[in-house]
Amino acid sequence: MQDLTNLLRPQTVALVGASNDPTKFGGKVAYNIVRSGIAKSWFIHARGEDVLGRSTFKRLSALPEVPDCVVLAVTADAALQELDAAGALGVRSAVLFASGFGEAGPQGLTRVAELRAIATRHGMAVLGPNCVGMANFVDGMLLSSAEGLEMEEAGSVALISQSGSLGIAVSSRQAQRFSHFISTGNETVLGAADFVRWLAPREPRIKTFALLLESIPDRNALVAAVAAAHSNGKRVVMLKLTGDAASDRIAALHTGALSGARAPLESFCRQHGVILARTLREFNAVLTLLSSARYRGGRRLGVYTTSGGSAVLAAGFAISQGLELPQPSVATEHALARILGMEADRVTNPLDTTGINAFMPLRFAEGLKAFANDGGFDLVLLPLGGAQGKDASDRVSAVLEVAASALVPIVLVWQQQRLLEEEAFRKLYSSHCPYFMDFESAIEAVALVDDATAPHATRTAAVESHDVISAAPTFVDVLGRLAESGVPIARLERVFEGGAHNVLSTLGEPVALKVSHPRLLHKSDANLVVFPVNSVDELAAEARRMGEAARAMGLEDAQVFAQAAVGAGLELLCGFDRDVEMGPYLVLGAGGIYTELFQDSVVVLIEPQQDFAVRVANALESLRIAPLLRGARGQKPLDFAAAVAAISAAARCFSATPQWRAMEINPLTVGTSGALVVDGRALLN
């Protein structure tokens, strides 16, 4: 592994391209270096003019000693020349801000090759290019063009971001919680994984690595980095910036190909214990939660508040996120009844201490201490509201004193107007105690951390985790439910030992063989679909092999089914999901091999109206594949009416099955006379 000491903890630094102009990179970086805790620094200016009141040098070779790190605030071509010169002098690390490399076409790729050659030739650790530098808050070092980075007390989170501007936004928003901010940019020489691997065993202040990634260029390097973090007791949180914001539930099924594949990344994170945030809000929330060094995970949540409304809302949302709300022990019930002046049977979780206690800060805090130290919670959520001015300030002071010594972390939710002029909020802001502006973000963060760290998060390597899930209706269940609702399906027969002849006699030749099990979602990906099967001997042998393969994956009691071959036709994909406000809806598009190829889909809300079939027909007509249904280039028209009828019946089936969170039909094969569902799957609520 390359030594990154001179890059991350330089004692001497030279800035090439220093400027007095605060709007230029050289000016911004010069200002940040001056206010850093770097022992020695020198500025290089082409004309030797003073910068920020300091004398400068015209070239690196004129410096009194070889710096640990050279910072290059010049254009791409000039940066390459200066980097080579620095390497020849013995400089072993550099920060390169310039763009014009991998993102700049053929000329940029030529520069990339030259940059790598220079770094290899001189053994240099290079951050960038196309980055905003780095900040080491632990040692007070700021080699960055970013504005607004404050050298406050270092936190426990190391933020490593491929995106410079977004990294600045996150680090500036929560500067008091970060130990490092490293903008890796194009990662031509060093990547995010390199910094995780280097820092994990060497910086005890870091408890969490936060990764803002646009791409994962080297999966194996990331695996090694995550392993290094975990072996040193540090968590890894990731937000992947690429991809579509479409429904994650549809993405769990093959319909996700219409909206950006997320399942492989989720599988990776589950397998390696990475906390994967879906949005920037979740990312910030998880980092806020993990800034509490005492939080070790867990889903047992206590809620302590002066508002019955807050208690009800927090409880409902926590349960919806899969968290537990254990009740206090009998000893805690009696202690709180005495402290708060209420009946013991009213001491529950969530605990509404009633509004009168909001104006008795010492009594409120004493009750909070007893509640938090119950021993049955992993974390206590404390919504703050209902008081202003001195009352609010006194309550925050009392709460913060309890939070500093409680057995479990106490996470505060500021529910009032966010004004730094408010004395209570200023105390909260400067306390380094985790706080949120809404309880939903706090609860989501707890659920995300627990999902990534609980034992159930680790999957075996026997099969990719997107093939096997916890539980779902089998494809046979789904097809059976559809058939009951009047949807035509391709005929199925279960294959029993010694029954191959009967199966072929019933279904004819050829047939497809498919494995059915509640935990098997993607049969094809797991190599548990075979077509065509043309003989009794082949059917018997393949059924035996598939059954053994399923059991090797841990799919006990798996069943093998044969399905009659379906004639030629156009394959459609029908994905169904439920929106909290809009209700059930249909995603309709090209199916089979054309799903990814055409990226062609339309959304139709499923409403109890007589014209739903008309809207399905209009949706089909809007697809790019519509001419194939109507008979393109002299081909015989397909049965459009049968397709509309089958889709409409499937929509009614989904609406009438509320226990199904999402359903997919892929494909629905439309022939010249009729339409048949060949396969289907569903996820439970």
Side-chain angles (χ1 to χ4, degrees), residues 494-518:
R494 183 176 174 186
V495 180
F496 292 94
E497 186 72 28
H501 182 272
N502 293 335
V503 169
L504 289 185
S505 297
T506 302
L507 299 180
E509 297 175 5
V511 297
L513 290 182
K514 302 179 179 181
V515 170
S516 175
H517 191 277

Side-chain angles (χ1 to χ4, degrees), residues 563-574:
Q563 188 172 51
V566 176
L570 179 66
E571 295 184 338
L572 298 177
L573 180 149
C574 309

Side-chain angles (χ1 to χ4, degrees), residues 162-163 166 211-217 238-246 248 259-263 265-266 276-280:
Q162 291 172 342
S163 169
L166 190 57
L211 307 182
L212 276 170
L213 303 182
E214 296 178 16
S215 64
I216 301 175
M238 182 196 302
L239 176 63
K240 184 85 161 27
L241 304 184
T242 52
D244 196 283
D248 281 345
S259 57
R262 185 178 174 87
L265 178 64
E266 292 175 338
L276 179 63
R278 293 159 292 191
T279 64
L280 183 60

Side-chain angles (χ1 to χ4, degrees), residues 112-471:
V112 166
E114 185 177 353
L115 172 55
R116 286 178 175 152
I118 293 171
T120 301
R121 184 163 61 248
H122 299 298
M124 301 183 76
V126 180
L127 176 62
N130 196 20
C131 72
V132 297
M134 77 92 186
N136 174 352
F137 299 111
V138 176
D139 300 301
M141 297 176 177
L142 195 55
L143 304 182
S144 175
S145 62
E147 299 175 275
L149 294 178
E150 298 299 329
M151 303 303 293
E152 300 182 5
E153 180 182 348
S156 60
V157 178
L159 174 64
I160 304 174
S161 175
Q162 291 172 342
S163 169
S165 58
L166 190 57
I168 292 171
V170 173
S171 60
S172 298
R173 178 177 177 177
Q174 304 187 64
Q176 77 276 12
R177 298 189 181 98
F178 289 93
S179 62
H180 297 76
F181 165 50
I182 302 171
S183 165
T184 58
N186 290 8
E187 299 191 347
T188 300
V189 178
L190 294 172
D194 297 306
F195 290 100
V196 174
R197 287 187 66 193
W198 176 260
L199 287 168
R202 294 173 175 84
E203 182 48 73
R205 180 69 69 97
I206 297 174
K207 303 302 179 187
T208 302
F209 287 100
L211 307 182
L212 276 170
L213 303 182
E214 296 178 16
S215 64
I216 301 175
D218 187 339
R219 176 184 179 277
N220 292 335
L222 184 57
V223 169
V226 171
H230 289 167
S231 66
N232 286 277
K234 306 176 193 302
R235 292 188 176 95
V236 180
V237 183
M238 182 196 302
L239 176 63
K240 184 85 161 27
L241 304 184
T242 52
D244 196 283
S247 170
D248 281 345
R249 293 196 292 271
I250 287 291
L253 302 169
H254 192 64
T255 317
L258 299 173
S259 57
R262 185 178 174 87
L265 178 64
E266 292 175 338
S267 174
F268 174 90
C269 291
R270 282 196 301 269
Q271 182 178 348
H272 297 286
V274 175
I275 302 167
L276 179 63
R278 293 159 292 191
T279 64
L280 183 60
R281 182 175 69 88
E282 282 189 352
F283 187 71
N284 282 323
V286 170
L287 299 188
T288 298
L289 177 66
L290 295 182
S291 66
S292 171
R294 286 181 296 141
Y295 182 60
R296 294 291 181 265
R299 58 181 52 231
R300 300 177 303 166
L301 181 68
V303 181
Y304 186 88
T305 178
T306 60
S307 166
S310 295
V312 171
L313 288 174
F317 192 71
I319 292 172
S320 75
Q321 296 296 304
L323 301 185
E324 300 172 5
L325 295 169
Q327 294 307 303
S329 67
V330 173
T332 300
E333 288 178 2
H334 288 288
L336 285 167
R338 175 183 55 80
I339 294 168
L340 299 175
M342 59 173 55
E343 297 296 325
D345 60 3
R346 290 189 55 200
V347 177
T348 61
N349 180 30
L351 177 58
D352 173 15
T353 65
T354 72
I356 190 170
N357 284 296
F359 302 97
M360 299 180 180
L362 296 181
R363 189 162 86 172
F364 180 81
E366 185 181 359
L368 173 62
K369 183 176 181 180
F371 187 78
N373 292 342
D374 171 77
F377 309 129
D378 298 307
L379 177 140
V380 170
L381 191 69
L382 176 59
L384 286 175
Q388 295 180 344
K390 187 176 184 303
D391 289 327
S393 179
D394 289 346
R395 194 195 323 171
V396 167
S397 296
V399 164
L400 290 176
E401 185 175 347
V402 173
S405 60
L407 293 179
V408 298
I410 296 176
V411 175
L412 285 71
V413 180
W414 182 262
Q415 292 186 303
Q416 300 180 167
Q417 189 175 10
R418 186 177 182 177
L419 293 175
L420 282 173
E421 289 75 18
E422 177 72 49
E423 176 65 23
F425 185 75
R426 285 205 302 274
K427 288 181 178 179
L428 178 58
Y429 181 81
S430 61
S431 68
H432 301 295
C433 180
Y435 72 90
F436 293 83
M437 304 308 292
D438 63 273
F439 63 79
E440 292 91 347
S441 294
I443 290 171
E444 286 175 341
V446 173
L448 275 174
V449 172
D450 180 73
D451 285 342
T453 56
H456 64 259
T458 301
R459 305 296 182 100
T460 66
V463 60
E464 288 296 326
S465 59
H466 60 272
D467 299 334
V468 177
I469 61 173
S470 56

Side-chain angles (χ1 to χ4, degrees), residues 608-680:
Q609 299 175 357
Q610 294 181 351
D611 67 346
F612 180 70
V614 175
R615 290 188 288 119
V616 170
N618 292 338
L620 283 172
E621 292 281 16
S622 71
L623 296 173
R624 292 199 294 271
I625 60 171
L628 300 178
L629 284 167
R630 292 302 190 187
R633 293 185 176 272
Q635 297 295 315
K636 189 175 181 179
L638 302 179
D639 198 334
F640 190 92
V644 171
I647 296 167
S648 300
R652 290 193 296 271
C653 173
F654 180 70
S655 296
T657 313
Q659 65 268 32
W660 287 1
R661 188 177 71 186
M663 180 181 75
E664 178 191 272
I665 294 172
N666 187 23
L668 169 69
T669 301
V670 185
T672 56
S673 179
L676 287 175
V677 172
V678 178
D679 212 340

